[in-house]
RNA sequence: GGAGAGGUGGCUGAGUGGUCGAAAGCGGCGCCCUGCUAAGGCGUUAUACCCCUCGCGGGGUAUCGAGGGUUCGAAUCCCUCCCUCUCCGCCA
């Protein structure tokens, strides 16, 4: 969420930013400012009453000790009345505060100056391309490839669990594992600390990174134990430092985490979800950064480069998009998407999304650092996929498939698995 | 899962109804002393929010695992939940 004081001082900017993200209800901004004003007004009254009551309670203590019962009783009666007044106002106080906070959660992050204003994916800017996209020619989509020892077994996945839960067997399973190892070892070279987080999180964590309340339908839930199954490692890894005050020289913190991810993907069917294009369970190596506010712009660029370099070393053609205001999501200030070329399908597949959340998540999670001034300030959080496995797998299979049959193994993976081909 | 013990500031640890936001020690920071170092002396050292102030700063409220309750008054009493430790059981 945004800082209420920032909203009060930059009302027009916040409204404009909402409009740019395609949200028309800018009246929310006025409502939140008004709710805050009402809350502040009442807070002053209630705290004054509490102060009065505290003072009297202290006097009562003294009088009781001296044995002056009657005088004490008089003050007790007065305090009972004050207490009634406080209780009356406290209901409103909570209501105003809840209303304010509720509204605050509905106001999206302000987009960075450099983000193009636009309404949908057509307004995203291609900021970088690498490699020559291969023509389809004789190439097959990955779900038709099976002339090697192992397979992507969608049918048995459907039988055992359901659509979107494939088996990877034999050489394909090994290839997947090699990719994960490669991603993690690159992350280590780039200064990220590897983390193995829990795959389930509690409600506070789900709220911290913003999956709750707005994206509840995205997650699988275990109601009996009140746990949420992670849709991305971002959730447990960023929450690792929830409610902490970090020292300035701990920053920047950089973490990598390999986890499976589970997403309900309610309502998506059809050709877009063929093969590995969209799954309910998929593997991903996630990169998370917790940084000093002054550094977050630079850290986003280096995060993006960290992700891009993986595709370059795999020699997979890709392009990088700067997402426009309308396509970037609620909590981000700036976001890049990396899309790899799929020659078998002749289309671009999103394999990474690198975002700067500025202080938006940090404020929800109360992750702060102590500055040189001795005060606490919100950190900035960033994350990016490095990378999501299934579509990279699809691109590798399609890009490295051989006309005579089989699939070559990318050079960079050769130290992570046996052989030259699948 | 069963039985018991416990959760207090950066850390250790006192505190069982009033002047306790909390003793003491350690650690941190500042100053003093001192050829250097070590030792020592004095002071200072939680977080959030509200109000006043240009600022320095001042006033107030809340917080002793979390939430609720009793009371004029709760770290302290009661209830619920969470977590940690010990023993037993079960188990990869």
């Amino acid at each position: 969420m945004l800082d209420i004081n920032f909203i009060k001082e930059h009302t027009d900017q916040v409204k404009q930013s909402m409009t740019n993200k395609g949200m028309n209800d800018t009246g929310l901004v006025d409502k939140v400012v008004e709710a805050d004003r009402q809350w502040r007004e009442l807070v002053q009254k209630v705290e004054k009453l509490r102060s009065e009551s505290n003072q009297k309670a202290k006097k009562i203590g003294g009088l009781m000790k001296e044995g002056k019962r009657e005088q004490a009783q008089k003050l007790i009666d007065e305090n009972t009345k004050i207490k009634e007044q406080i209780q009356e106002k406290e209901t409103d106080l909570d209501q105003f505060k809840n209303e304010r906070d509720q509204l605050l959660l509905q106001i999206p992050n302000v987009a960075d100056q450099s983000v193009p204003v636009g309404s949908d994916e057509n307004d995203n800017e291609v900021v970088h391309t690498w490699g020559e996209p291969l023509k389809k020619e004789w190439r097959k989509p990955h779900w038709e490839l099976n002339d090697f020892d192992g397979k992507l077994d969608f049918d048995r996945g459907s039988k055992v669990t359901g659509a979107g839960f494939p088996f990877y067997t034999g050489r394909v399973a090994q290839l997947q594992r090699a990719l994960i190892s490669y991603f993690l070892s690159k992350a280590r070279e780039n200064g990220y600390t590897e983390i193995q987080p829990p795959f389930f999180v509690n409600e506070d964590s789900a709220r911290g990174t913003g999956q709750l309340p707005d994206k509840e339908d995205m997650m699988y839930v275990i109601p009996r134990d009140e746990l949420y199954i992670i849709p991305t490692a971002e959730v447990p890894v960023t929450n690792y430092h929830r409610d902490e005050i970090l020292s300035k020289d701990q920053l920047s913190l950089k973490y990598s985490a390999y986890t499976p991810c589970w997403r309900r993907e309610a309502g998506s069917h059809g050709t877009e979800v063929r093969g590995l294009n969209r799954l309910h369970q998929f593997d991903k190596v996630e990169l998370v950064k917790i940084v000093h506010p002054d550094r977050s712009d630079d850290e986003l660029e280096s995060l993006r480069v960290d992700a891009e370099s993986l595709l370059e070393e795999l020699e997979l053609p890709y392009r990088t998009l700067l997402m426009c205001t309308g396509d970037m999501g609620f909590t981000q200030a700036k976001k890049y998407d990396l899309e790899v070329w799929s020659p078998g399908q002749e289309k671009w597949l999103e394999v990474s999304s690198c975002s700067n959340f500025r202080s938006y998540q940090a404020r929800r999670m109360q992750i702060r650092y102590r500055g040189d001034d001795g005060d606490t300030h919100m950190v900035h959080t960033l994350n990016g996929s490095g990378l999501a496995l299934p579509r990279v797998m699809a691109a590798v299979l399609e890009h490295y498939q051989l006309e005579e049959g089989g699939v070559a193994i990318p050079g960079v993976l050769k130290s992570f698995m046996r052989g030259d081909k699948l």
Side-chain angles (χ1 to χ4, degrees):
Chain A
M1 61 179 131
L2 292 173
D3 180 4
I4 181 67
N5 293 316
F6 177 86
I7 297 176
K8 285 200 287 193
E9 284 162 30
H10 303 86
T11 310
D12 291 336
Q13 190 191 341
V14 173
K15 284 183 182 175
Q16 183 61 50
S17 173
M18 281 181 81
T19 310
N20 291 347
K21 281 197 174 184
M23 298 177 64
N24 296 318
D25 191 11
T26 55
L28 276 177
V29 180
D30 298 318
K31 278 191 205 160
V32 80
V33 171
E34 174 59 15
D36 182 64
R37 193 190 61 77
Q38 286 177 308
W39 173 75
R40 268 164 214 269
E41 212 173 277
L42 204 54
V43 141
Q44 287 176 48
K45 287 181 188 161
V46 170
E47 288 191 352
K48 204 178 159 198
L49 286 169
R50 281 191 192 141
S51 170
E52 223 174 291
S53 161
N54 285 346
Q55 275 178 20
K56 288 202 162 85
K58 271 186 188 174
K59 276 187 202 160
I60 291 166
L63 291 169
M64 294 290 248
K65 265 192 182 157
E66 293 168 34
K68 297 178 179 169
R69 297 242 155 192
E70 279 178 29
Q71 288 181 47
Q73 189 56 48
K74 199 183 151 206
L75 285 175
I76 289 172
D77 292 343
E78 286 175 20
N79 242 3
T80 308
K81 278 180 199 155
I82 294 175
K83 209 184 158 189
E84 279 167 18
Q85 291 180 51
I86 292 173
Q87 275 175 348
E88 236 171 70
K89 290 187 165 57
E90 264 177 346
T91 316
D92 287 342
L93 189 69
D94 288 347
Q95 203 182 317
F96 286 136
K97 190 173 181 350
N98 288 340
E99 191 186 330
R100 184 194 69 173
D101 293 344
Q102 209 53 46
L103 290 164
L104 218 42
L105 288 175
Q106 293 173 48
I107 296 174
N109 202 354
V110 176
D112 185 76
Q113 299 284 341
S114 62
V115 171
V117 175
S119 51
D120 56 38
E121 68 266 20
N122 296 315
D123 297 317
N124 295 336
E125 245 173 49
V126 177
V127 293
H128 181 63
T129 59
W130 188 91
E132 273 300 312
L134 288 177
K135 291 273 188 302
K136 183 171 167 68
E137 299 169 348
W138 47 270
R139 292 182 179 80
K140 297 174 183 169
H142 61 274
W143 57 83
E144 288 176 18
L145 295 172
N146 54 12
D147 50 351
F148 41 77
D149 177 23
K151 66 188 290 199
L152 291 163
D153 199 334
F154 295 100
D155 292 343
R156 288 200 177 89
S158 297
K159 175 178 74 180
V160 172
T161 303
F165 292 90
F167 281 80
Y168 306 75
T169 74
R171 293 293 269 164
V172 181
Q174 288 168 24
L175 178 62
Q176 173 110 310
R177 186 157 50 83
L179 281 165
I180 293 163
S181 298
Y182 163 62
F183 292 161
L184 285 172
S185 64
K186 278 291 284 186
R188 197 177 68 91
E189 280 171 33
N190 290 327
Y192 295 82
T193 303
E194 185 170 341
I195 287 194
Q196 277 199 21
F199 298 165
F200 303 166
V201 294
N202 59 28
E203 193 181 327
D204 286 343
S205 298
R207 191 175 300 108
T209 29
Q211 274 67 33
L212 291 178
D214 23 296
K215 285 189 255 171
E216 181 160 15
D217 289 345
M218 160 196 242
M219 290 185 291
Y220 288 96
V221 186
I222 306 172
R224 183 169 170 178
D225 298 295
E226 294 183 80
L227 293 171
Y228 297 84
I229 306 179
I230 57 169
T232 159
E234 166 197 350
V235 182
V237 175
T238 316
N239 273 284
Y240 187 64
H241 289 293
R242 173 154 53 83
D243 294 322
E244 289 183 16
I245 298 169
L246 305 163
S247 78
K248 195 180 150 228
D249 38 281
Q250 278 179 275
L251 307 176
S252 302
L253 290 166
K254 296 164 73 176
Y255 296 115
S256 65
Y258 155 68
T259 70
C261 303
W262 291 269
R263 296 185 185 176
R264 295 184 62 243
E265 303 288 2
S268 41
H269 297 287
T271 58
E272 290 297 305
V273 305
R274 281 297 300 270
L276 294 171
N277 287 356
R278 180 162 292 169
L279 302 172
H280 288 305
Q281 175 180 312
F282 63 96
D283 286 343
K284 179 158 64 66
V285 171
E286 183 75 359
L287 306 172
V288 172
K289 290 186 180 187
I290 296 177
V291 309
H292 190 282
D294 293 348
R295 289 200 44 77
S296 75
D297 287 348
D298 290 342
E299 294 281 9
L300 178 64
E301 295 309 312
S302 74
L303 178 62
R304 176 191 137 189
V305 169
D306 289 339
E308 285 174 344
S309 68
L310 299 170
L311 293 170
E312 289 175 22
E313 289 194 1
L314 284 167
E315 299 183 73
L316 296 172
Y318 71 91
R319 62 180 191 179
T320 305
L321 307 175
L322 174 58
M323 309 303 277
C324 74
T325 52
D327 200 28
M328 70 187 294
F330 193 81
T331 55
Q332 291 95 358
K334 186 171 182 176
K335 175 166 119 171
Y336 292 109
D337 270 9
L338 271 55
E339 295 183 337
V340 72
W341 178 249
S342 154
Q345 306 179 66
E346 291 197 291
K347 63 179 182 185
W348 297 100
L349 301 176
E350 183 190 333
V351 291
S352 177
S353 168
C354 301
S355 308
N356 186 353
F357 299 89
R358 297 264 161 81
S359 60
Y360 198 88
Q361 284 185 329
R363 191 165 293 104
R364 272 195 181 197
M365 273 182 283
Q366 290 293 302
I367 305 179
R368 292 163 290 172
Y369 71 96
R370 195 172 299 283
D372 292 329
D373 53 4
D375 288 340
T376 58
H377 307 276
M378 295 298 163
V379 299
H380 282 192
T381 61
L382 303 91
N383 67 55
S385 343
L387 300 159
L389 270 295
R391 294 174 190 159
V392 174
M393 168 73 80
V396 167
L397 293 176
E398 293 176 12
H399 191 91
Y400 282 88
Q401 63 183 295
L402 304 166
E403 197 163 6
E404 67 270 23
V407 176
I409 292 171
V412 77
L413 296 184
K414 281 182 181 161
S415 56
F416 296 97
M417 69 185 292
R418 287 164 178 273
D420 291 323
K421 54 181 283 196
L422 297 192

